Amino acid sequence: GNKVNLGYYPSPFFFNGYIHLESRSKDSQIIIGDNVFINNNFFAVSDGEGIEIGDNTLIGINCEILDSDFHELNPAKRTSGKSATGKVVIGKNAFLGNNVKITKGVVLGENIVVANGAVVNSSFAANLIIGGVPAKIIGEV
């Protein structure tokens, strides 16, 4: 997108961290909308249907977004099987606090706020405040 900001000085990890964006397969993709601000030590890895970050989203330090388990969960197939995947969509005007983790298949509605340290493994509608491990609704915007 236009006016995407990757990293911020003087936030922590500006000099000793990095932002990692990885699209592992020919069909996977990471789409970042306009006016998105991504703080330091962020990583997004797509090995499935992709990751989409909506316009005007703010992302804190140490966040990760993954659209795959990357390995089969069955121990007999862990290194040879096909992993579970699911597209991740973050709606416009989202605010992800520091240390947020978002797993495969999650869809977050517009204007959502994700509290610091949340692990998001299910989808949530627009205009909510979510937090916890696993994330649950804790309020409304």
Side-chain angles (χ1 to χ4, degrees):
N2 295 309
K3 297 183 181 176
V4 172
N5 189 82
L6 300 176
Y8 183 72
Y9 176 82
S11 285
F13 309 111
F14 183 78
F15 292 112
N16 63 348
Y18 60 94
I19 292 174
H20 182 86
L21 303 172
E22 181 179 352
S23 180
R24 288 190 175 177
S25 66
K26 67 178 182 145
D27 296 325
S28 63
Q29 59 184 341
I30 298 171
I31 299 171
I32 300 173
D34 295 335
N35 305 309
V36 173
F37 185 97
I38 298 174
N39 214 319
N40 306 324
N41 264 16
F42 170 79
F43 77 90
V45 180
S46 174
D47 195 29
E49 290 82 4
I51 296 168
E52 186 174 330
I53 300 170
D55 296 344
N56 304 309
T57 292
L58 303 174
I59 299 178
I61 297 167
N62 291 327
C63 291
E64 72 180 50
I65 303 173
L66 309 170
D67 74 349
S68 174
D69 287 338
F70 301 104
H71 297 282
E72 169 76 44
L73 299 182
N74 178 335
K77 298 179 181 179
R78 193 153 294 149
T79 59
S80 63
K82 180 162 175 39
S83 62
T85 63
K87 185 173 185 176
V88 174
V89 178
I90 299 171
K92 295 178 181 178
N93 302 310
F95 176 22
L96 310 182
N98 295 336
N99 305 302
V100 168
K101 312 299 183 205
I102 299 176
T103 63
K104 70 181 183 313
V106 168
V107 176
L108 299 178
E110 293 184 359
N111 306 314
I112 198 156
V113 175
V114 183
N116 190 20
V119 175
V120 186
N121 62 2
S122 60
S123 297
F124 291 91
N127 302 306
L128 294 174
I129 302 168
I130 63 173
V133 179
K136 63 181 180 180
I137 298 170
I138 57 177
E140 294 183 14
V141 174

